[in-house]
Amino acid sequence: MALYILRYCMRTLNKNIEWLHRKLATFDGYLLIDLPGQLELYSSDDCIANIIRMMEKWGHRVVTMHLSDSMYCSDAGKFISVVLSALAVTVNLEAAQVNVLSKMDLISHDLPFNEEFFKELPDLSKLTELVDENAMLSRYKAMNQSICSLINDFDLVSFIGVDVNCKKSMLKVLNAADMANGFALVEQADLRNIVFTHSDSH
């Protein structure tokens, strides 16, 4: 029911796109839009993709930020799903995208690989080797291998880890967004009024 309502809202906004255009025309700054987390809105519906394309047509620099819980790193099967979801959103929205692993301060210290592996994804096929350890998932090993091969072929997904308690970590994500939407290349004052000093780095 909730997904139906969300889809209705997005489709209504899409049909009344000129209303959004008028609202955005009065705004001058760095705008953050917090959207619902239901994956179906981005992977199997084109409303948000259409809205993004219209915003770009109006001259806005758009970057999407896809957040995933780092707790999934401890489960090979779930993490493969996380990466596939990030890829699906990237392909469907056709916009610059920054993928973020959240709650890095809570991540397990008993991971099968180091944190950099889960951020850079050098070889996802290594995760399929861990699937055998789960009796329920081992029967789907061939499918997981195909999924990992597909993700590797696209080579579009990597992650930035973020710890909300660390300002340096937060700014790293912000800098990635600035690079993705081209804001970092524009010579103007910081619209967000963020001051970063060495003492604030932790």
Side-chain angles (χ1 to χ4, degrees):
M1 184 64 179
L3 178 59
Y4 175 82
I5 294 173
L6 288 172
R7 275 183 167 159
Y8 173 79
C9 292
M10 291 299 105
R11 289 170 182 172
T12 300
L13 179 59
N14 195 37
K15 289 179 180 178
N16 296 276
I17 197 70
E18 282 305 314
W19 173 87
L20 179 62
H21 190 192
R22 291 194 299 271
K23 289 292 184 180
L24 292 178
T26 64
F27 181 83
D28 182 23
Y30 202 102
L31 179 64
L32 299 179
I33 302 176
D34 186 13
L35 292 172
Q38 279 76 0
L39 182 64
E40 292 84 356
L41 291 175
Y42 314 96
S43 60
S44 61
D45 196 303
D46 61 358
C47 284
I48 294 178
N50 289 337
I51 292 171
I52 288 175
R53 281 190 283 272
M54 290 304 298
M55 290 178 66
E56 291 176 332
K57 184 178 179 181
W58 300 332
H60 297 284
R61 300 172 182 268
V62 179
V63 58
T64 63
M65 191 163 291
H66 185 82
L67 268 67
S68 302
D69 197 318
S70 64
M71 307 300 282
Y72 291 124
C73 294
S74 60
D75 186 308
K78 290 181 180 178
F79 188 73
I80 291 173
S81 297
V82 164
V83 181
L84 181 61
S85 298
L87 176 61
V89 173
T90 300
V91 172
N92 193 51
L93 295 186
E94 297 181 339
Q97 180 165 308
V98 176
N99 299 303
V100 177
L101 284 176
S102 64
K103 305 177 185 176
M104 290 300 289
D105 52 315
L106 302 177
I107 195 170
S108 171
H109 296 292
D110 189 28
L111 296 175
F113 305 105
N114 60 31
E115 291 182 11
E116 291 306 311
F117 174 89
F118 294 96
K119 295 176 186 176
E120 300 299 330
L121 307 179
D123 185 5
L124 272 182
S125 63
K126 291 183 178 180
L127 290 176
T128 61
E129 299 171 7
L130 302 177
V131 172
D132 286 337
E133 299 176 6
N134 186 314
M136 183 175 294
L137 293 179
S138 60
R139 61 191 296 187
Y140 302 112
K141 183 175 181 178
M143 182 185 71
N144 282 312
Q145 287 175 330
S146 297
I147 291 174
C148 289
S149 177
L150 175 69
I151 294 170
N152 284 332
D153 288 344
F154 271 93
D155 195 23
L156 291 175
V157 181
S158 62
F159 291 93
I160 297 176
V162 65
D163 171 2
V164 295
N165 299 308
C166 175
K167 188 170 184 178
K168 186 175 182 179
S169 169
M170 297 292 287
L171 284 173
K172 186 176 181 180
V173 175
L174 183 60
N175 289 337
D178 286 348
M179 288 298 296
N181 64 15
F183 184 77
L185 305 177
V186 179
E187 294 185 6
Q188 63 181 49
D190 190 346
L191 300 176
R192 298 163 303 243
N193 296 317
I194 292 178
V195 178
F196 178 49
T197 64
H198 181 71
S199 61
D200 295 325
S201 62
H202 299 289

